[in-house]
Amino acid sequence: MVNFRLDGKVALVTGASYGIGFAMAKALADAGATIVFNDINQEIVDRGLDSYKQAGIQAHGYVCDVTDEDAVNRFVKQVTEKIGVIDILVNNAGIIKRIPMHEMTAAEFRQVIDIDLNGPFIVSKAVIPHMIKKGHGKIINICSMMSELGRETVSAYAAAKGGLKMLTRNICSEYGEHNIQCNGIGPGYIATPQTAPLRERQADGSRHPFDSFIVAKTPAARWGTPEDLMGPVVFLASDASNFVNGHILYVDGGILAYIGKQP
Ligand code: NAP
Ligand code: GCO
């Protein structure tokens, strides 16, 4: 029988107090996993803990910045000792800065790369030795349309998410023989706080031009929701995907397949 269950597994989802991370963690919990998440300050972690509690999930929330290697190592050690070896890692924490490239400072560019690319490297590096010892592991990197496509103002984000796609393939290449599967999920345009500025109503009440553009560019003719990522993450975290490795699963309502509507 195909096994999508995650009973007895420990899943760490980074930056999962709300948004896509929270929905994916909820799906993993529904499939039986114990949830651990982190966020960058106690207030956000407490907000997250509240949301998990309301959803009937007993999650473990920690303050930890994914760019701080020492803090991540301490965090992973603590989780491993108190809760168990992390069987499933979802590298979800991420930021975006929408600034034209010629106006962006190197410090701003570095900050995006640091959180969106170095972060997944640092957390993966901390969990992989435990996964090797245990004889299995699942790493799921949250990529983007910008792992494949560019657009104005998102140079740092596209560079980071393109890099994350290749980090995914490299982790697969380097650790596949240890029964570690590393895959990516590439969400399309999903309605979360990160994309709220792109959906803001105009002063006259009309839709934001980018909002209309995305709906027209998506064969499904709508924005995605965090819930659209629930099935894909359970699949990639479960034994059902044990021979799927180094793959990026785009969950985009068809954007990447579509040339777009004629105006
Ligand atoms: P979100 O609503 O902004 O949530 C991102 C989470 O990451 C927040 O909880 C954030 O904390 C946390 N975070 C930021 N920096 C961190 C750090 N240094 N250490 C730990 N946690 C940190 O974003 P989302 O839309 O749910 O996106 C989640 C992931 O999906 C991101 O990697 C994003 O790039 C990716 N993605 C999103 C979309 C989309 O359309 N929304 C599409 C494709 C990919 P704060 O609350 O402090 O910011
Ligand atoms: C943007 C968006 C995107 C999405 C997402 C697409 O400004 O174009 O924020 O980059 O968040 O990553 O998959």
Side-chain angles (χ1 to χ4, degrees):
M1 208 171 82
V2 188
N3 187 8
F4 291 98
R5 293 293 309 171
L6 303 174
D7 306 281
K9 308 274 189 202
V10 176
L12 164 60
V13 187
T14 65
S17 300
Y18 59 88
I20 290 175
F22 176 78
M24 292 190 299
K26 187 175 175 304
L28 298 174
D30 289 345
T34 299
I35 301 303
V36 181
F37 72 97
N38 68 298
D39 224 306
I40 47 176
N41 65 48
Q42 193 61 53
E43 199 187 324
I44 302 173
V45 169
D46 287 344
R47 224 177 91 192
L49 284 170
D50 237 35
S51 306
Y52 285 101
K53 204 169 158 195
Q54 274 174 37
I57 298 162
Q58 227 194 331
H60 304 264
Y62 291 82
V63 175
C64 179
D65 183 331
V66 295
T67 66
D68 180 341
E69 190 169 11
D70 290 340
V72 168
N73 288 340
R74 282 195 302 275
F75 167 49
V76 168
K77 186 167 183 283
Q78 200 179 352
V79 171
T80 307
E81 287 169 2
K82 283 198 173 157
I83 304 165
V85 170
I86 294 160
D87 302 285
I88 300 156
L89 165 64
V90 184
N91 282 309
N92 167 76
I95 62 162
I96 191 166
K97 284 186 189 293
R98 297 183 187 96
I99 305 170
M101 187 177 138
H102 65 283
E103 291 170 11
M104 191 173 219
T105 65
E108 287 166 333
F109 191 90
R110 274 195 204 104
Q111 195 196 351
V112 176
I113 300 285
D114 210 20
I115 296 172
D116 293 6
L117 182 56
N118 292 345
F121 160 73
I122 289 169
V123 187
S124 302
K125 187 186 153 191
V127 303
I128 283 171
H130 302 284
M131 290 177 166
I132 292 176
K133 225 167 157 185
K134 197 165 172 183
H136 79 89
K138 299 277 187 183
I139 299 177
I140 301 163
N141 291 326
I142 304 309
C143 297
S144 165
M145 292 292 89
M146 272 63 216
S147 300
E148 300 293 337
L149 302 170
R151 85 171 187 88
E152 58 280 6
T153 76
V154 298
S155 57
Y157 186 78
K161 294 294 187 179
L164 187 57
K165 172 179 72 179
M166 285 314 300
L167 180 65
T168 303
R169 291 181 180 162
N170 215 83
I171 294 173
C172 149
S173 308
E174 208 164 343
Y175 300 104
E177 65 179 322
H178 295 285
N179 193 23
I180 293 173
Q181 290 84 49
C182 180
N183 292 288
I185 291 180
Y189 278 81
I190 312 293
T192 69
Q194 196 235 56
T195 52
L198 305 175
R199 282 174 286 106
E200 250 168 32
R201 288 274 162 184
Q202 303 298 89
D204 64 0
S206 64
R207 291 176 91 142
H208 192 296
F210 196 85
D211 181 357
S212 311
F213 163 69
I214 283 302
V215 173
K217 183 75 186 83
T218 308
R222 65 168 175 89
W223 282 71
T225 66
E227 289 70 31
D228 287 320
L229 284 320
M230 291 171 106
V233 78
V234 169
F235 168 61
L236 291 177
S238 73
D239 286 347
S241 62
N242 280 352
F243 204 54
V244 180
N245 210 352
H247 185 76
I248 311 296
L249 175 53
Y250 289 101
V251 184
D252 64 354
I255 294 178
L256 290 178
Y258 188 39
I259 195 168
K261 243 186 207 44
Q262 138 184 322

